[in-house]
Amino acid sequence: MKTDSTLNKLAWDDTVLPFQLDASDMRGRVARLDGVLSGILKQHNYPAPVEALVAEMALLTALIGQTVELKWKLSLQVQTDGPVRMIATDYYGPEKEGEPARIRAYASFDPDRVTDDDPFAQLGKGYFAVLVDQGDGSKPYQGITGLDGKSLANCAETYFAQSEQLPTRFSLRFGLSSEPGVSEHWRAGGIMLQHMPKASLFATGERSVETGELLKAQDLVSGDLEEDWNRVNMHLDTVEDLELIGPSLPPTDLLVRLFHEEQPRVYDAQSVQFGCTCSEERVRQSLSIYSAKDIEKMTTEEGRVTADCQFCGAHYDLDPKTVGFEAEGAAGDAKSS
């Protein structure tokens, strides 16, 4: 017999629920991730602090990515000089209405430098970047800001304040979950709050912040907006860890609990799943710029050209004669796993 907690888990895990607070002219999303994180993290043997950073980045990607259109791609990236050199995530909008979005993520790090300290301390100096690809024939949007605050969520808040002039707040929780009869695994949940924008979130163009003091959400609000912003954030500050991560409390009930005075209105939830776009064809495309001489340098002692996908762990094993712009043979002798 399924309990209410189990039913809520089945209904709301790996979903993003958009909502609006009519009384305060704000919008937001509630996200819960379970299987998505399992799909991402099982591909690598990350140290615990790196797993935490990847989980946080994936959660941010789900919350921000829900706004992109069908077939668009949102990418978040962190580049640093710290032990964790890079974290990259991709959110692929659904191919059709009603289909799930897909998320993938991975991190590059120096094992000898990673410590057991706070995960954010593993990043050092660097930048936080947002890229939106609207497909062929369109100019990608790119925004960049410096790493700021005490978490990746703080960096995302700074990005929206600095590059978009949108007051934005994230409240995120993530960690290892132990449930009866289920092996230990990562779960995550979070809320994104944002004042309703006067223009599209991802305007065409490129913006960056390199020097000077970075804006905060509080710098963008005044008068009635400041009162509304402070009140809604005060409500959000009362949220508890298990309310965000679930599965006992549905997100719809959580919104009523937190913001009933703000007249919350919910929209259709977006399901998300772990998914990668790598393929043999894409590998061959990436190798098509190389001559036969270059391909020879990439050939292993076993006489093969190999490539591994950092996101999903897929391994591609190709006949060197079938790759590069001077390929001789047909592309039939290939193995992938």
Side-chain angles (χ1 to χ4, degrees), residues 235-248:
H235 295 323
L236 182 55
D237 286 337
T238 68
V239 73
E240 298 177 1
D241 292 359
L242 290 180
E243 288 182 314
L244 282 177
I245 294 177
S248 58

Side-chain angles (χ1 to χ4, degrees), residues 31-311:
R32 284 184 179 161
L33 301 183
D34 183 278
V36 167
L37 290 183
S38 296
I40 290 171
L41 295 174
K42 74 180 181 181
Q43 310 299 330
H44 304 275
N45 186 25
Y46 292 135
V50 180
E51 282 192 316
L53 288 168
V54 174
E56 183 178 11
M57 195 77 153
L59 184 55
L60 286 171
T61 304
L63 287 164
I64 300 171
Q66 190 276 330
T67 62
V68 303
E69 303 290 338
L70 294 177
K71 299 184 179 181
W72 286 15
K73 175 186 173 184
L74 167 82
S75 300
L76 301 185
Q77 192 172 116
V78 167
Q79 293 270 8
T80 90
D81 62 0
V84 178
R85 298 184 295 269
M86 181 178 72
I87 309 171
T89 63
D90 292 324
Y91 177 103
Y92 295 91
E95 291 292 317
K96 299 178 183 177
E97 291 285 355
E99 293 185 352
R102 293 170 294 155
I103 296 179
R104 65 180 190 173
Y106 86 96
S108 173
F109 64 98
D110 184 346
D112 296 333
R113 298 173 62 200
V114 173
T115 68
D116 293 330
D117 294 336
D118 172 63
F120 192 70
Q122 314 298 315
L123 296 181
K125 296 179 180 179
Y127 65 80
F128 180 94
V130 176
L131 177 71
V132 178
D133 184 351
Q134 302 175 35
D136 295 339
S138 62
K139 182 180 179 181
Y141 165 92
Q142 181 175 321
I144 301 173
T145 189
L147 296 179
D148 182 63
K150 299 180 179 180
S151 66
L152 290 171
N154 290 160
C155 296
E157 291 167 353
T158 299
Y159 161 76
F160 279 107
Q162 191 74 19
S163 292
E164 302 293 333
Q165 282 74 58
L166 284 176
T168 305
R169 165 84 187 278
F170 293 92
S171 183
L172 311 180
R173 304 292 189 277
F174 44 89
L176 286 168
S177 172
S178 298
E179 304 173 48
V182 180
S183 59
E184 191 175 56
H185 63 286
W186 281 82
R187 284 185 62 85
I191 292 179
M192 176 182 179
L193 279 177
Q194 194 168 65
H195 190 264
M196 296 289 282
K198 295 180 181 179
S200 173
L201 173 62
F202 299 114
T204 301
E206 182 172 339
R207 303 170 186 168
S208 65
V209 177
E210 297 177 357
T211 60
E213 187 172 346
L214 299 179
L215 288 172
K216 307 292 185 184
Q218 201 64 35
D219 299 326
L220 303 174
V221 294
S222 60
D224 291 342
L225 174 57
E226 182 177 14
E227 182 179 335
D228 290 342
W229 180 254
N230 290 339
R231 184 182 67 254
V232 170
N233 276 276
M234 182 180 65
H235 295 323
L236 182 55
D237 286 337
T238 68
V239 73
E240 298 177 1
D241 292 359
L242 290 180
E243 288 182 314
L244 282 177
I245 294 177
S248 58
L249 185 67
T252 47
D253 292 354
L254 174 59
L255 291 174
V256 172
R257 208 282 286 170
L258 291 174
F259 306 122
H260 63 278
E261 297 176 359
E262 310 301 327
Q263 302 173 25
R265 177 163 30 129
V266 299
Y267 300 94
D268 292 339
Q270 173 65 61
S271 61
V272 293
Q273 64 184 26
F274 170 70
C276 191
T277 60
C278 75
S279 67
E280 181 186 321
E281 180 183 359
R282 288 176 182 268
V283 174
R284 291 185 178 279
Q285 266 185 339
S286 68
L287 294 172
S288 65
I289 62 173
Y290 297 104
S291 67
K293 186 175 182 180
D294 293 327
I295 296 297
E296 185 179 355
K297 295 177 182 177
M298 303 177 195
T299 303
T300 67
E301 293 181 359
E302 291 75 25
R304 309 293 292 181
V305 172
T306 62
D308 296 311
C309 177
Q310 296 295 327
F311 287 99

Side-chain angles (χ1 to χ4, degrees), residues 1-8:
M1 177 177 174
K2 290 186 171 68
T3 64
D4 289 343
S5 176
T6 302
L7 292 173
N8 288 333

